[in-house]
Amino acid sequence: MGALILGMGASALPALAADEAPDALVKRLSTEVLETIKADSSIKAGDLNKIMALVDAKIMPNVNFQRMTASAVGPAWRQATPEQRTQLQQQFKTLLVRTYAGALDQVSDQTVTIKPFRGSPDDKEVLVRTEVRGSGDPVQIDYRLEKTPGEGYGWKVINLNVMGVWLVDTYRTQFAQEVNSKGIDGLIAALAARNKSNARN
């Protein structure tokens, strides 16, 4: 699937998977997303279905999304049923996509700059810091990635920092309050309500 998404021949994918450094991966993905946004007026206008499709195609294959969701939900994740986990991931993805798309929407004619990368081949987790620049104020988006040999491109995103806020950590605090007062189903309902409310704004 990854080969189709990236428009490459299958033979090109293994070499890329083995060789692509985490900062190069983030640079490529960020640039591809921004170029797609620039070329599609309905995405620029905030068409959530198209934004979701773009994220599904370009970003999600390179994200350990189950780990992100489990980290945000915290200890309650272990008690969640498979169906509850699926619902949590769906609602959390919608929340993150809106945050990410909202940050990108603040600037036009964007370009992505990767800040100096400090990492070694032996690292299991790395931080890639980026700045999205355009006609508005620069937007800081940082990516924490983990090494996943044999999966996808060798690195997967496990946390996202948008304008100084680590999203998984921030949501963990909010989600814990919901789970403690209303349980896992209460958290799912609260996320669904928030996403529905955001859709009207």
Side-chain angles (χ1 to χ4, degrees), residues 32-194:
E32 285 179 2
V33 167
L34 289 177
E35 290 301 321
T36 305
I37 290 172
K38 287 179 194 176
D40 192 322
S41 57
S42 60
I43 291 180
K44 289 177 76 171
D47 183 329
L48 185 63
N49 288 330
K50 282 209 168 185
I51 293 169
M52 284 291 221
L54 171 61
V55 170
D56 277 338
K58 300 290 186 183
I59 304 294
M60 292 308 288
N62 303 281
V63 175
N64 184 340
F65 195 67
Q66 180 170 312
R67 175 172 168 176
M68 284 185 77
T69 310
S71 295
V73 173
W77 178 261
R78 291 193 293 274
Q79 280 78 53
T81 66
E83 183 179 346
Q84 287 173 324
R85 290 182 178 188
T86 298
Q87 291 181 51
L88 285 166
Q89 289 188 76
Q90 288 173 345
Q91 297 298 337
F92 189 43
K93 183 170 86 168
T94 302
L95 199 61
L96 288 182
V97 167
R98 285 191 177 280
T99 304
Y100 186 71
L104 294 179
D105 193 46
Q106 294 191 24
V107 288
S108 57
D109 301 318
Q110 306 102 323
T111 57
V112 180
T113 302
I114 303 291
K115 296 189 174 181
F117 176 64
R118 298 175 184 87
S120 75
D122 298 327
D123 289 339
K124 298 291 185 282
E125 288 190 10
V126 297
L127 176 65
V128 178
R129 301 168 64 232
T130 78
E131 187 173 78
V132 183
R133 298 185 181 196
S135 56
D137 292 333
V139 173
Q140 308 291 329
I141 301 181
D142 300 338
Y143 302 80
R144 188 169 297 283
L145 300 95
E146 68 172 356
K147 201 167 201 173
T148 54
E151 292 184 37
Y153 294 89
W155 291 93
K156 287 189 183 288
V157 176
I158 55 171
N159 204 344
L160 197 63
N161 185 322
V162 178
M163 296 180 288
V165 177
W166 284 105
L167 298 184
V168 168
D169 307 66
T170 299
Y171 287 126
R172 186 184 297 126
T173 302
Q174 297 176 22
F175 292 178
Q177 294 170 349
E178 290 286 347
V179 170
N180 288 339
S181 62
K182 299 175 185 174
I184 296 169
D185 284 333
L187 171 59
I188 293 169
L191 285 171
R194 185 190 302 192

